[in-house]
Amino acid sequence: MPRVIEMKQGLEAHRQVLTMMAQLSVVVPTYHEVLNLPLLADELRKTLGASNIRYELILVDDNSRDGTEELCTKLLKEGHPIRLIVRKTERGLASAVIRGLNEANGEVLTVMDADLSHPAAALPKMLRLLEESNTELIIGSRYIKGGSTDVEWSLFRRLNSKVATLLAWPLCAGVTDPMAGFFMLHRATLQRAAKLNPIGYKILLEIICKARISHISEVPIHFRDRKLGQSKLDLREQFSYLRHLYRLYMFKLFSRRKIHND
């Protein structure tokens, strides 16, 4: 037993060395994504390492019990700057992202999916744009000029995405892809947000509204369809999105009234 404890303490010390000096924190919510995680970790190390960007990968897992914990121990031993947070009483993509953002060490925060749909290769460009301009938020966009989606996307999926985008447009006019799950911002920008309390899976809209972000830039990406694992998007999540929109419209309406009254 003492040797087991000593090994765990050694791994924890190793993790702290790898992650405490992070320039960029990459937050990834996971649930049954163990097949994709080694590929994601390798993509990040190849891309960010080549650009000399210090980073940490924060995985927030909703107690998948699919081997994710064992895998992360292996990846840590291989030198990946990885942290795993396992949530046993909470569920949901958006709340998982918030947990990861709150525990991040980096001054710059980024969020991406675990299913390899978001290209890690875009991160250096997004980071340069964030640091060299007065923009507050960078979005990896499928719909801006130069962006694209996988050819395997069905007509229904494309239509569903377009309708969801149109419904959100008044909350963030000018943004082509407010439904994106791939974005980057400074920690200071996030810290000025009102209490984040999203419903469902679209955390970006919550952050834009609650932090009152107006200077937003988008970079084109190719959105790949997942090859491994299964999508978590279902009818229940779509109803949750509608409830979330209603809540954000109410927040924006009453915020304007408060500013006007003041």
Side-chain angles (χ1 to χ4, degrees):
M1 184 63 71
R3 290 190 61 185
V4 173
I5 294 173
E6 183 178 335
M7 180 178 294
K8 288 183 177 179
Q9 290 174 339
L11 283 173
E12 176 61 18
H14 182 51
R15 181 195 66 76
Q16 290 179 2
V17 170
L18 288 173
T19 63
M20 284 184 66
M21 299 301 293
Q23 173 188 4
L24 174 68
S25 294
V26 182
V27 176
V28 178
T30 72
Y31 185 64
H32 291 165
E33 295 287 0
V34 70
L35 296 177
N36 288 309
L37 295 180
L39 302 174
L40 175 63
D42 286 341
E43 280 194 11
L44 289 171
R45 179 154 69 177
K46 180 180 178 180
T47 299
L48 298 177
S51 301
N52 294 317
I53 297 172
R54 301 185 311 276
Y55 73 99
E56 62 174 346
L57 171 57
I58 302 176
L59 303 177
V60 185
D61 184 75
D62 283 355
N63 201 25
S64 296
R65 292 183 290 184
D66 61 351
T68 293
E69 295 182 56
E70 294 79 6
L71 172 65
C72 287
T73 298
K74 178 176 180 292
L75 292 174
L76 183 60
K77 290 179 179 178
E78 294 174 356
H80 291 275
I82 192 166
R83 297 168 59 193
L84 174 64
I85 300 168
V86 178
R87 305 194 309 165
K88 296 186 177 180
T89 58
E90 294 180 88
R91 293 290 183 273
L93 186 148
S95 61
V97 169
I98 293 173
R99 173 72 180 274
L101 292 173
N102 287 338
E103 298 203 18
N105 291 318
E107 290 304 314
V108 177
L109 313 172
T110 193
V111 175
M112 61 193 303
D113 288 347
D115 61 5
L116 308 178
S117 58
H118 300 140
L123 289 171
K125 179 179 180 180
M126 293 169 71
L127 183 60
R128 286 195 301 271
L129 183 58
L130 186 68
E131 294 183 337
E132 295 173 3
S133 67
N134 65 346
T135 194
E136 299 172 288
L137 177 75
I138 310 290
I139 298 174
S141 174
R142 299 163 287 183
Y143 302 132
I144 197 172
K145 183 178 179 181
S148 59
T149 56
D150 199 291
V151 294
E152 295 182 9
W153 262 38
S154 66
L155 177 62
F156 173 78
R157 190 171 179 185
R158 294 177 190 276
L159 180 61
N160 184 69
S161 179
K162 289 294 185 182
V163 170
T165 298
L166 286 172
L167 291 173
W169 187 83
L171 294 170
C172 48
V175 176
T176 67
D177 197 358
M179 308 300 294
F182 188 27
F183 58 91
M184 181 183 292
L185 73 167
H186 285 289
R187 175 195 296 277
T189 302
L190 181 69
Q191 287 176 335
R192 74 179 192 225
K195 182 179 180 182
L196 298 175
N197 187 27
I199 303 172
Y201 64 105
K202 291 303 177 185
I203 182 62
L204 176 58
L205 282 172
E206 180 87 3
I207 292 174
I208 290 174
C209 291
K210 296 291 184 69
R212 295 182 173 84
I213 297 174
S214 56
H215 296 90
I216 300 173
S217 296
E218 296 178 83
V219 297
I221 66 165
H222 174 66
F223 185 91
R224 298 172 290 186
D225 207 9
R226 72 160 56 240
K227 303 301 181 185
L228 301 171
Q230 295 183 340
S231 173
K232 315 304 186 297
L233 181 60
D234 55 21
L235 188 60
R236 179 180 178 182
E237 289 291 351
Q238 294 184 45
F239 278 119
S240 293
Y241 172 66
L242 294 176
R243 291 172 54 218
H244 189 200
L245 278 182
Y246 173 78
R247 180 182 287 182
L248 290 178
Y249 276 113
M250 291 299 100
F251 172 82
K252 201 159 188 177
L253 175 63
F254 286 105
S255 294
R256 286 176 177 173
R257 286 183 178 178
K258 183 178 185 300
I259 293 172
H260 180 73
N261 291 335
D262 289 347

